[in-house]
Amino acid sequence: MKPLSEKSAALNLLIGCVVFSLGSIIVAKVPVGSYAIAFWRLAVAAVIFAVLMRLFAQRFPKNRKAIGWALLSGVFLGFDLALWHESIHAVGPGIATVLNCLQIFWITAMGLLFFGEKLTRQQVVSLVLAMLGVIMIASPEFGHNHHALWGLFTGLASGLALAISMMLVRKTHETAKTPIFVLMWLLSVGGMLTLIVPMLLWNGDSLLPQTWTQASLIVIYGAVMQCFAWGMIAYALPLLSLSVAGLLLLSEPVAALWIDFVFLDKPISAIQWLGAVLTMVAIYLGSLKKKK
């Protein structure tokens, strides 16, 4: 594959983020449970990655620990998706996506607790801004939305699950070199297996789509958002500087908020818009690291 220029990589990343955020419309509109639609999304992706593994003759790593880490990463990816879906149903795609993007701060917390890292001034400022932003986003919801607390909790928890999944992907690569399609297949399978029991327990009456249109949307959700959009993001990220990548990645919560406001008719107050801006500034600052 011909390497992308910096401008092309930036465009790819922007398109990938916007397309990925469009998946929230499918989650909000298709009457399938949060755990069930996460399962079907990963199932569609697993089929596609299995075909790609075969086409590109990619093999599993011989190290069983690497396979185990990848499957465990898939477990947390499954919960990340399901909890994000729960948050979407409770407070809308925009707020849910902003909360999910706070995973950068969960990674910072893990660095403090487990790796003895220290907070920089920039990270302290970003944490304060993030807390203020979340308070400004959440407080108006409590005045009119009975599901606000659940949406806030599941949105933040989805970010934690995503942070753990990302750390386990890194652990997989540290243990043994794992081809990308093999890795994504293992993640998908790990997530699918994890979600079977929760979706049967909590989504028993909403396991399957009711029409062929709904089924088609779920296939699109798995193929386009999980495979195509993630692929564009993953391919473009290493080709860009941290500052440019961090800024462009904010297009995902911005697009989700806009979709929520324009297409799903969710009322978003001025203080919530300001809170979202503060939170995204915090995410941007938190994603940057000092050059050594």
Side-chain angles (χ1 to χ4, degrees):
M1 195 171 184
K2 187 179 178 180
L4 296 175
S5 65
E6 187 173 354
K7 288 184 179 179
S8 297
L11 181 61
N12 266 33
L13 182 58
L14 182 62
I15 292 172
C17 288
V18 173
V19 171
F20 190 81
S21 67
L22 290 173
S24 59
I25 298 179
I26 296 175
V27 175
K29 291 294 186 181
V30 175
V32 175
S34 300
Y35 292 86
I37 197 169
F39 173 86
W40 295 119
R41 166 177 168 163
L42 292 172
V44 171
V47 172
I48 293 172
F49 287 125
V51 172
L52 291 172
M53 282 166 51
R54 186 67 181 267
L55 286 175
F56 288 88
Q58 292 188 353
R59 297 182 179 182
F60 287 88
K62 295 181 180 179
N63 191 312
R64 292 185 179 181
K65 287 185 178 180
I67 295 174
W69 288 125
L71 289 171
L72 185 58
S73 178
V75 169
F76 286 97
L77 175 62
F79 279 114
D80 161 49
L81 292 175
L83 291 168
W84 180 56
H85 297 161
E86 284 284 302
S87 189
I88 287 173
H89 291 142
V91 294
I95 295 175
T97 304
V98 171
L99 294 173
N100 179 263
C101 287
L102 290 170
Q103 50 85 16
I104 184 67
F105 297 105
W106 289 116
I107 293 176
T108 300
M110 290 176 193
L112 289 171
L113 292 173
F114 303 116
F115 301 105
E117 296 179 0
K118 295 182 180 180
L119 286 177
T120 64
R121 290 182 181 178
Q122 181 176 289
Q123 288 174 319
V124 172
V125 171
S126 67
L127 282 170
V128 172
L129 288 177
M131 287 188 289
L132 287 174
V134 170
I135 290 170
M136 293 171 71
I137 289 170
S139 54
E141 287 290 313
F142 287 99
H144 63 85
N145 186 349
H146 297 300
H147 304 292
L149 182 60
W150 180 244
L152 179 66
F153 170 76
T154 51
L156 292 172
S158 71
L160 173 59
L162 178 58
I164 296 173
S165 179
M166 291 171 65
M167 291 187 71
L168 290 170
V169 165
R170 181 178 177 181
K171 185 69 175 177
T172 303
H173 284 301
E174 289 175 352
T175 305
K177 184 178 179 181
T178 308
I180 183 62
F181 296 138
V182 173
L183 175 64
M184 296 307 296
W185 184 85
L186 289 169
L187 289 174
S188 300
V189 171
M192 287 169 57
L193 294 175
T194 301
L195 293 170
I196 291 174
V197 173
M199 77 173 183
L200 291 175
L201 286 175
W202 297 318
N203 300 154
D205 56 346
S206 55
L207 281 175
L208 299 170
Q210 302 300 309
T211 65
W212 285 110
T213 300
Q214 292 174 7
S216 299
L217 287 173
I218 291 176
V219 171
I220 291 170
Y221 187 44
V224 177
M225 281 70 189
Q226 183 68 21
C227 300
F228 173 74
W230 261 119
M232 293 185 75
I233 293 170
Y235 185 64
L237 273 176
L239 304 176
L240 298 167
S241 66
L242 280 176
S243 57
V244 173
L247 192 59
L248 290 174
L249 283 171
L250 293 179
S251 61
E252 182 187 338
V254 170
L257 274 170
W258 184 251
I259 288 166
D260 211 357
F261 181 69
V262 175
F263 296 104
L264 300 177
D265 299 321
K266 178 179 173 61
I268 301 177
S269 67
I271 193 170
Q272 286 178 303
W273 282 113
L274 181 57
V277 171
L278 277 179
T279 305
M280 286 184 277
V281 169
I283 293 168
Y284 175 67
L285 291 176
S287 67
L288 302 180
K289 295 180 180 179
K290 284 186 174 181
K291 292 183 179 180
K292 292 184 180 181

mmCIF file of all heavy atoms in Angstrom, residues 249-270:
data_model
loop_
_atom_site.group_PDB
_atom_site.id
_atom_site.type_symbol
_atom_site.label_atom_id
_atom_site.label_comp_id
_atom_site.label_asym_id
_atom_site.label_seq_id
_atom_site.Cartn_x
_atom_site.Cartn_y
_atom_site.Cartn_z
ATOM 1 N N LEU A 249 -8.622 14.057 16.063
ATOM 2 C CA LEU A 249 -9.432 13.052 16.756
ATOM 3 C C LEU A 249 -10.630 13.685 17.474
ATOM 4 O O LEU A 249 -11.632 13.013 17.721
ATOM 5 C CB LEU A 249 -8.572 12.283 17.760
ATOM 6 C CG LEU A 249 -7.651 11.209 17.167
ATOM 7 C CD1 LEU A 249 -6.697 10.678 18.224
ATOM 8 C CD2 LEU A 249 -8.448 10.065 16.560
ATOM 9 N N LEU A 250 -10.535 14.960 17.770
ATOM 10 C CA LEU A 250 -11.657 15.653 18.413
ATOM 11 C C LEU A 250 -12.826 15.843 17.452
ATOM 12 O O LEU A 250 -13.921 16.220 17.878
ATOM 13 C CB LEU A 250 -11.200 17.015 18.941
ATOM 14 C CG LEU A 250 -10.200 16.970 20.098
ATOM 15 C CD1 LEU A 250 -9.803 18.376 20.506
ATOM 16 C CD2 LEU A 250 -10.777 16.226 21.289
ATOM 17 N N SER A 251 -12.600 15.591 16.160
ATOM 18 C CA SER A 251 -13.712 15.690 15.214
ATOM 19 C C SER A 251 -14.788 14.646 15.501
ATOM 20 O O SER A 251 -15.958 14.849 15.158
ATOM 21 C CB SER A 251 -13.200 15.529 13.778
ATOM 22 O OG SER A 251 -12.588 14.263 13.593
ATOM 23 N N GLU A 252 -14.406 13.542 16.162
ATOM 24 C CA GLU A 252 -15.411 12.511 16.467
ATOM 25 C C GLU A 252 -16.460 13.009 17.463
ATOM 26 O O GLU A 252 -17.668 12.957 17.157
ATOM 27 C CB GLU A 252 -14.728 11.248 17.000
ATOM 28 C CG GLU A 252 -15.721 10.123 17.277
ATOM 29 C CD GLU A 252 -15.063 8.935 17.950
ATOM 30 O OE1 GLU A 252 -13.836 8.783 17.840
ATOM 31 O OE2 GLU A 252 -15.800 8.167 18.587
ATOM 32 N N PRO A 253 -16.074 13.511 18.666
ATOM 33 C CA PRO A 253 -17.114 14.031 19.559
ATOM 34 C C PRO A 253 -17.823 15.265 19.012
ATOM 35 O O PRO A 253 -19.018 15.455 19.268
ATOM 36 C CB PRO A 253 -16.355 14.355 20.850
ATOM 37 C CG PRO A 253 -14.931 14.463 20.462
ATOM 38 C CD PRO A 253 -14.748 13.522 19.318
ATOM 39 N N VAL A 254 -17.113 16.107 18.236
ATOM 40 C CA VAL A 254 -17.763 17.276 17.630
ATOM 41 C C VAL A 254 -18.850 16.821 16.663
ATOM 42 O O VAL A 254 -19.988 17.326 16.686
ATOM 43 C CB VAL A 254 -16.724 18.159 16.898
ATOM 44 C CG1 VAL A 254 -17.427 19.219 16.069
ATOM 45 C CG2 VAL A 254 -15.789 18.817 17.896
ATOM 46 N N ALA A 255 -18.515 15.853 15.808
ATOM 47 C CA ALA A 255 -19.489 15.331 14.848
ATOM 48 C C ALA A 255 -20.662 14.670 15.567
ATOM 49 O O ALA A 255 -21.827 14.820 15.158
ATOM 50 C CB ALA A 255 -18.815 14.338 13.904
ATOM 51 N N ALA A 256 -20.372 13.933 16.643
ATOM 52 C CA ALA A 256 -21.439 13.269 17.394
ATOM 53 C C ALA A 256 -22.388 14.278 18.032
ATOM 54 O O ALA A 256 -23.613 14.091 18.028
ATOM 55 C CB ALA A 256 -20.836 12.354 18.464
ATOM 56 N N LEU A 257 -21.838 15.352 18.587
ATOM 57 C CA LEU A 257 -22.678 16.407 19.167
ATOM 58 C C LEU A 257 -23.549 17.061 18.099
ATOM 59 O O LEU A 257 -24.736 17.329 18.322
ATOM 60 C CB LEU A 257 -21.801 17.465 19.837
ATOM 61 C CG LEU A 257 -21.373 17.212 21.280
ATOM 62 C CD1 LEU A 257 -20.317 18.221 21.700
ATOM 63 C CD2 LEU A 257 -22.562 17.274 22.223
ATOM 64 N N TRP A 258 -22.964 17.316 16.940
ATOM 65 C CA TRP A 258 -23.711 17.941 15.850
ATOM 66 C C TRP A 258 -24.822 17.016 15.362
ATOM 67 O O TRP A 258 -25.954 17.468 15.113
ATOM 68 C CB TRP A 258 -22.760 18.297 14.715
ATOM 69 C CG TRP A 258 -23.414 19.045 13.582
ATOM 70 C CD1 TRP A 258 -23.693 18.596 12.335
ATOM 71 C CD2 TRP A 258 -23.871 20.402 13.619
ATOM 72 N NE1 TRP A 258 -24.297 19.563 11.584
ATOM 73 C CE2 TRP A 258 -24.422 20.690 12.355
ATOM 74 C CE3 TRP A 258 -23.875 21.391 14.601
ATOM 75 C CZ2 TRP A 258 -24.964 21.941 12.044
ATOM 76 C CZ3 TRP A 258 -24.424 22.633 14.286
ATOM 77 C CH2 TRP A 258 -24.951 22.898 13.025
ATOM 78 N N ILE A 259 -24.519 15.733 15.227
ATOM 79 C CA ILE A 259 -25.528 14.757 14.816
ATOM 80 C C ILE A 259 -26.662 14.711 15.832
ATOM 81 O O ILE A 259 -27.849 14.690 15.479
ATOM 82 C CB ILE A 259 -24.879 13.363 14.673
ATOM 83 C CG1 ILE A 259 -23.986 13.329 13.438
ATOM 84 C CG2 ILE A 259 -25.938 12.260 14.590
ATOM 85 C CD1 ILE A 259 -23.057 12.123 13.390
ATOM 86 N N ASP A 260 -26.289 14.694 17.105
ATOM 87 C CA ASP A 260 -27.272 14.663 18.189
ATOM 88 C C ASP A 260 -28.211 15.871 18.108
ATOM 89 O O ASP A 260 -29.430 15.756 18.252
ATOM 90 C CB ASP A 260 -26.526 14.677 19.529
ATOM 91 C CG ASP A 260 -27.278 13.920 20.605
ATOM 92 O OD1 ASP A 260 -28.380 13.432 20.340
ATOM 93 O OD2 ASP A 260 -26.755 13.823 21.724
ATOM 94 N N PHE A 261 -27.638 17.030 17.867
ATOM 95 C CA PHE A 261 -28.393 18.280 17.875
ATOM 96 C C PHE A 261 -29.241 18.439 16.609
ATOM 97 O O PHE A 261 -30.412 18.831 16.677
ATOM 98 C CB PHE A 261 -27.413 19.451 18.017
ATOM 99 C CG PHE A 261 -28.060 20.805 18.056
ATOM 100 C CD1 PHE A 261 -28.831 21.187 19.145
ATOM 101 C CD2 PHE A 261 -27.897 21.694 17.007
ATOM 102 C CE1 PHE A 261 -29.431 22.443 19.181
ATOM 103 C CE2 PHE A 261 -28.493 22.941 17.039
ATOM 104 C CZ PHE A 261 -29.263 23.317 18.130
ATOM 105 N N VAL A 262 -28.659 18.136 15.444
ATOM 106 C CA VAL A 262 -29.322 18.406 14.170
ATOM 107 C C VAL A 262 -30.248 17.278 13.742
ATOM 108 O O VAL A 262 -31.409 17.512 13.370
ATOM 109 C CB VAL A 262 -28.274 18.678 13.062
ATOM 110 C CG1 VAL A 262 -28.948 18.832 11.713
ATOM 111 C CG2 VAL A 262 -27.472 19.922 13.397
ATOM 112 N N PHE A 263 -29.760 16.038 13.805
ATOM 113 C CA PHE A 263 -30.522 14.921 13.246
ATOM 114 C C PHE A 263 -31.398 14.198 14.266
ATOM 115 O O PHE A 263 -32.408 13.588 13.901
ATOM 116 C CB PHE A 263 -29.566 13.912 12.601
ATOM 117 C CG PHE A 263 -28.828 14.468 11.419
ATOM 118 C CD1 PHE A 263 -27.500 14.846 11.522
ATOM 119 C CD2 PHE A 263 -29.463 14.640 10.202
ATOM 120 C CE1 PHE A 263 -26.816 15.371 10.447
ATOM 121 C CE2 PHE A 263 -28.792 15.169 9.111
ATOM 122 C CZ PHE A 263 -27.466 15.541 9.231
ATOM 123 N N LEU A 264 -31.016 14.224 15.543
ATOM 124 C CA LEU A 264 -31.784 13.513 16.564
ATOM 125 C C LEU A 264 -32.583 14.454 17.467
ATOM 126 O O LEU A 264 -33.216 14.018 18.423
ATOM 127 C CB LEU A 264 -30.849 12.633 17.408
ATOM 128 C CG LEU A 264 -30.073 11.565 16.616
ATOM 129 C CD1 LEU A 264 -29.138 10.796 17.524
ATOM 130 C CD2 LEU A 264 -31.026 10.606 15.906
ATOM 131 N N ASP A 265 -32.519 15.751 17.150
ATOM 132 C CA ASP A 265 -33.337 16.765 17.837
ATOM 133 C C ASP A 265 -33.161 16.775 19.352
ATOM 134 O O ASP A 265 -34.118 16.997 20.094
ATOM 135 C CB ASP A 265 -34.831 16.563 17.504
ATOM 136 C CG ASP A 265 -35.108 16.711 16.011
ATOM 137 O OD1 ASP A 265 -34.493 17.598 15.400
ATOM 138 O OD2 ASP A 265 -35.920 15.940 15.477
ATOM 139 N N LYS A 266 -31.948 16.534 19.804
ATOM 140 C CA LYS A 266 -31.709 16.600 21.242
ATOM 141 C C LYS A 266 -31.413 18.030 21.645
ATOM 142 O O LYS A 266 -30.528 18.675 21.067
ATOM 143 C CB LYS A 266 -30.538 15.703 21.646
ATOM 144 C CG LYS A 266 -30.221 15.791 23.155
ATOM 145 C CD LYS A 266 -29.097 14.885 23.550
ATOM 146 C CE LYS A 266 -28.700 15.119 25.000
ATOM 147 N NZ LYS A 266 -29.798 14.860 25.944
ATOM 148 N N PRO A 267 -32.132 18.562 22.642
ATOM 149 C CA PRO A 267 -31.821 19.927 23.103
ATOM 150 C C PRO A 267 -30.496 19.968 23.864
ATOM 151 O O PRO A 267 -30.308 19.238 24.831
ATOM 152 C CB PRO A 267 -33.002 20.252 24.034
ATOM 153 C CG PRO A 267 -33.499 18.925 24.504
ATOM 154 C CD PRO A 267 -33.247 17.966 23.381
ATOM 155 N N ILE A 268 -29.575 20.785 23.405
ATOM 156 C CA ILE A 268 -28.288 20.951 24.068
ATOM 157 C C ILE A 268 -28.145 22.420 24.431
ATOM 158 O O ILE A 268 -28.139 23.287 23.558
ATOM 159 C CB ILE A 268 -27.125 20.494 23.166
ATOM 160 C CG1 ILE A 268 -27.300 19.016 22.785
ATOM 161 C CG2 ILE A 268 -25.784 20.700 23.869
ATOM 162 C CD1 ILE A 268 -26.239 18.498 21.836
ATOM 163 N N SER A 269 -28.047 22.701 25.713
ATOM 164 C CA SER A 269 -28.019 24.085 26.181
ATOM 165 C C SER A 269 -26.654 24.724 25.923
ATOM 166 O O SER A 269 -25.666 24.034 25.627
ATOM 167 C CB SER A 269 -28.341 24.140 27.674
ATOM 168 O OG SER A 269 -27.312 23.518 28.425
ATOM 169 N N ALA A 270 -26.616 26.057 26.073
ATOM 170 C CA ALA A 270 -25.368 26.791 25.848
ATOM 171 C C ALA A 270 -24.281 26.346 26.823
ATOM 172 O O ALA A 270 -23.104 26.215 26.446
ATOM 173 C CB ALA A 270 -25.626 28.294 25.994
#
